[in-house]
């Protein structure tokens, strides 16, 4: 079983920055992807950024150039640096770990952390 613990959300003014962290613990298979999803009120959860165990990254178009995902494999921790935040970036941010075992995958989720962008 894998546990994910997020931290770093909060209230920030437009144009400000926040850094989210997600620490994974438990029995983690060696091949996995970690990512951040966002769910705004009344909207579906959407992928914001992801990073593979090899370091390849993927971003939603809406955050390219403003957000950076990184990971520390030794600590099983993923980070999301969010700069130039906009009100539309508000929502609950969920950390995800997807284990890849051949043709099968298994997803684990954190509890979510609220990000509020407001003046």
């Amino acid at each position: 079983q894998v546990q994910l613990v997020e931290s770093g959300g909060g209230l920030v003014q437009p144009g400000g920055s926040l850094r989210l962290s997600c620490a994974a613990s438990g029995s983690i298979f060696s091949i996995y992807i970690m990512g951040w999803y966002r769910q705004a009120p009344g909207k579906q959860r959407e992928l914001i950024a992801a990073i593979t165990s090899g370091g390849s990254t993927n971003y939603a178009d809406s955050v390219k150039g403003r957000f950076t995902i990184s990971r520390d494999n030794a600590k099983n921790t993923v980070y999301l640096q969010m700069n130039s935040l906009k009100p539309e970036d508000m929502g609950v941010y969920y950390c995800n770990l997807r284990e890849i075992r051949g043709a099968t995958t298994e997803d684990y989720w954190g509890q979510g952390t609220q990000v509020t962008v407001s003046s």
Side-chain angles (χ1 to χ4, degrees):
Q1 193 63 281
V2 175
Q3 296 80 40
L4 301 175
V5 178
E6 300 141 340
S7 60
L11 171 65
V12 64
Q13 292 186 341
S17 298
L18 282 175
R19 187 190 193 213
L20 306 182
S21 299
C22 173
S25 62
S27 179
I28 303 171
F29 190 63
S30 61
I31 301 174
Y32 60 95
I33 298 171
M34 293 192 77
W36 290 94
Y37 287 71
R38 177 175 69 207
Q39 188 162 22
K43 295 188 177 181
Q44 289 188 330
R45 194 174 296 186
E46 61 173 336
L47 176 65
I48 296 302
I51 185 167
T52 69
S53 49
S56 297
T57 58
N58 183 44
Y59 296 93
D61 287 343
S62 61
V63 306
K64 284 180 180 177
R66 300 188 297 121
F67 291 11
T68 302
I69 190 169
S70 60
R71 65 193 285 168
D72 183 334
N73 287 335
K75 297 181 179 180
N76 289 329
T77 298
V78 65
Y79 305 95
L80 185 67
Q81 178 66 43
M82 305 185 292
N83 298 329
S84 302
L85 281 160
K86 305 175 182 179
E88 51 262 43
D89 293 319
M90 280 198 299
V92 179
Y93 284 68
Y94 294 91
C95 178
N96 169 265
L97 186 150
R98 173 167 293 176
E99 288 187 331
I100 302 172
R101 299 171 181 257
T104 64
T105 62
E106 186 158 2
D107 284 313
Y108 300 92
W109 295 93
Q111 78 282 2
T113 185
Q114 177 70 45
V115 171
T116 302
V117 183
S118 176
S119 54

